[in-house]
Amino acid sequence: MTAEIICVGTELLLGDIVNTNAQYLSRELAELGISVLHQHVIGDNPQRLRELVNQARSRSDLLVFSGGLGPTEDDLTKETVAEAFGDTLRFDEDEWEKIVAFFARTNRTPTSNNRKQAMVPVNGHKVINDHGTAPGAWFEDSQGHCAVLMPGVPREMKAMWTEQVRPALQRRQNCTIHSRTLRVLGGESSIASKVAPLFESSNPTAAIYCKTGESEIRVTAREATAEAAERACNEYLEKFRAILGDAAYDVDVPALEYTVVRVLREKGLHVATAESCTGGMVAERLTNVPGSSEVFGFGFVTYAEAAKQKLLGVDAALIAQYNVVSGPVAVAMAFGAARAAGAELAVGITGLAGPGGALPGKPVGTVYLAGADTRTNTGWLMRLTLGGYHDRGIIRTRAALYALDLMRRMALGLPVPDGMAVTPNTPSAQIDI
């Protein structure tokens, strides 16, 4: 089945409202194995909407609308789509009673223009809205093309989709859909180039979504039973894992910190953080995860040189010789944090997030990331070059992501790509990279 998403509202075209509905619907349709061919945003203009509906209906099986179901004169989506699908509308007394009752609960009285919200399809059918005043609508023509109309208010639209529309589409698919999402560290283009043939399958299907410093790969399988769909989905995921290796860090998790906390708990480990340029972002991400207090007890934000010396025990002479933004200082921060917190693992981060502050041989975006493992008195040092992003926020976000991945790798005993093995006693001259 193919689909097009049509979001109606002049306020969307003017940029007064962010169009989150299209993003939500695209992901939901993908989970159902329905291919979205086009997304549209169109104003409250009946003629232009009529032209778009006729065009979209000629090439797609399903048209999914949000918006244009309000009571004002320019809310004409229902009337326009009904005409395009050869249908008409009738006044529904039951829906009008629901509207009146809804207003009464909020100490208001509906006006005459609210009556248009109680108009429902004659040949199609209404879609129940238990979270607002306007029912949705379902139209269908003789060739089997369908249109479903939902409110533009995101809360109402999502509820109607979940409770009414999605189950109806699943029944029409006559199959069971199962989806899983693989989280992978790295850029979209790099990842996609490695697994490109796997995106060509029609069942299971796979789609990649780019995030900052990582990507999601959503795999969706359609089978006759739930068990078969889940099995097919899992088997296809393993093909991605075989190619992507340990860069593919988890399945069906919101973010990397959830994986880190889970791994630390399973291993019985504790972690500490010593952050300069990231200003506590790593600690914040860890503590966003429920249960993180079991594995994380200390975080140090040592922005000033004096703080690094006082809280982490970084030698002032080390800073004077190599600069505060250096490999030796990052290593000293990591081991200092581990000692101060009594943690098995720790990370230390120092860098130049910009926009100013570049040093000779160290442009903006230079970040030193060190990891310490007190179990073996060993660690890792990485020099990250993130200045190409020209954005302080992105540099800091990516540095925090690298730090979380370093925690994961140390906890699991995985190799650290581009990392240099160090100890607290490694001569500083060797790690002045």
Side-chain angles (χ1 to χ4, degrees):
M1 183 181 289
T2 59
E4 300 194 24
I5 297 170
I6 302 175
C7 299
V8 183
T10 302
E11 66 276 9
L12 295 172
L13 288 176
L14 294 175
D16 293 335
I17 296 177
V18 178
N19 186 14
T20 58
N21 286 354
Q23 179 188 37
Y24 174 83
L25 290 169
S26 290
R27 294 177 71 92
E28 287 291 311
L29 288 164
E31 281 194 3
L32 291 175
I34 298 173
S35 300
V36 177
L37 303 184
H38 299 276
Q39 287 186 10
H40 311 274
V41 176
I42 189 166
D44 298 295
N45 182 288
Q47 180 58 37
R48 287 194 289 270
L49 180 58
R50 186 179 300 108
E51 294 172 357
L52 175 58
V53 172
N54 288 330
Q55 182 183 47
R57 187 165 61 94
S58 69
R59 64 194 177 198
S60 298
D61 305 311
L62 172 67
L63 310 186
V64 182
F65 290 80
S66 74
L69 301 183
T72 60
E73 292 183 3
D74 60 353
D75 289 312
L76 296 171
T77 303
K78 196 160 36 178
E79 293 83 348
T80 305
V81 178
E83 178 186 345
F85 275 75
D87 206 340
T88 55
L89 302 174
R90 64 174 178 83
F91 184 75
D92 189 305
E93 289 287 351
D94 291 337
E95 288 300 322
W96 176 241
E97 290 180 7
K98 287 175 59 178
I99 291 171
V100 172
F102 182 89
F103 273 81
R105 288 196 302 272
T106 55
N107 297 316
R108 296 180 296 160
T109 302
T111 58
S112 58
N113 59 1
N114 286 114
R115 291 180 64 86
K116 74 190 296 287
Q117 293 184 290
M119 301 297 289
V120 301
V122 172
N123 299 322
H125 61 82
K126 64 184 177 183
V127 182
I128 301 300
N129 183 358
D130 289 325
H131 303 270
T133 58
W138 184 289
F139 298 98
E140 190 164 348
D141 64 18
S142 58
Q143 287 77 44
H145 299 101
C146 303
V148 58
L149 281 59
M150 296 180 289
V153 179
R155 176 183 61 84
E156 293 184 33
M157 184 277 294
K158 291 178 181 179
M160 183 179 290
W161 171 268
T162 301
E163 298 168 5
Q164 307 291 333
V165 180
R166 182 185 173 104
L169 290 173
Q170 284 181 310
R171 290 191 294 269
R172 292 178 71 92
Q173 292 275 76
N174 194 30
C175 62
T176 297
I177 308 293
H178 189 79
S179 294
R180 303 200 73 187
T181 300
L182 179 67
R183 305 286 301 226
V184 188
L185 293 165
E188 180 182 16
S189 58
S190 174
I191 295 169
S193 66
K194 297 175 183 177
V195 294
L198 296 178
F199 292 118
E200 298 174 3
S201 170
S202 58
N203 187 35
T205 60
I208 189 168
Y209 307 93
C210 182
K211 306 290 183 180
T212 299
E214 60 176 314
S215 295
E216 295 180 355
I217 297 176
R218 175 172 291 179
V219 173
T220 302
R222 302 185 304 276
E223 297 292 345
T225 65
E227 293 77 11
E230 182 177 2
R231 183 169 56 252
C233 197
N234 291 337
E235 290 173 354
Y236 210 62
L237 273 179
E238 288 308 310
K239 294 184 179 181
F240 282 96
R241 284 183 174 275
I243 297 172
L244 297 171
D246 55 30
Y249 64 83
D250 215 336
V251 177
D252 295 338
V253 294
L256 178 56
E257 53 265 30
Y258 286 78
T259 301
V260 171
V261 170
R262 175 183 60 77
V263 170
L264 291 171
R265 291 174 68 178
E266 291 174 353
K267 299 292 184 180
L269 299 173
H270 301 83
V271 69
T273 58
E275 303 181 64
S276 184
C277 64
T278 48
M281 292 180 71
V282 180
E284 180 189 23
R285 290 185 62 167
L286 286 171
T287 54
N288 279 338
V289 181
S292 57
S293 59
E294 297 178 28
V295 299
F296 177 72
F298 282 80
F300 302 87
V301 180
T302 54
Y303 216 53
E305 294 180 13
K308 294 177 176 64
Q309 298 169 37
K310 181 178 180 180
L311 298 176
L312 303 174
V314 179
D315 192 339
L318 194 69
I319 296 175
Q321 182 174 358
Y322 294 101
N323 190 276
V324 71
V325 179
S326 65
V329 169
V331 172
M333 290 172 64
F335 281 98
R339 288 192 300 269
E344 292 86 3
L345 305 177
V347 293
I349 312 171
T350 180
L352 301 168
L359 299 168
K362 296 175 183 178
V364 168
T366 300
V367 176
Y368 291 93
L369 168 62
D373 187 338
T374 60
R375 297 171 300 174
T376 58
N377 211 34
T378 61
W380 295 92
L381 174 64
M382 302 170 67
R383 173 173 171 156
L384 309 175
T385 305
L386 306 174
Y389 296 97
H390 302 293
D391 184 289
R392 178 180 175 83
I394 294 179
I395 290 170
R396 297 172 76 231
T397 298
R398 292 180 71 94
L401 187 72
Y402 276 102
L404 290 167
D405 186 48
L406 181 56
M407 291 179 188
R408 175 184 73 103
R409 290 179 179 276
M410 289 192 299
L412 292 172
L414 297 173
V416 178
D418 302 319
M420 172 190 294
V422 296
T423 72
N425 300 317
T426 301
S428 295
Q430 293 183 20
I431 57 178
D432 181 30
I433 56 176

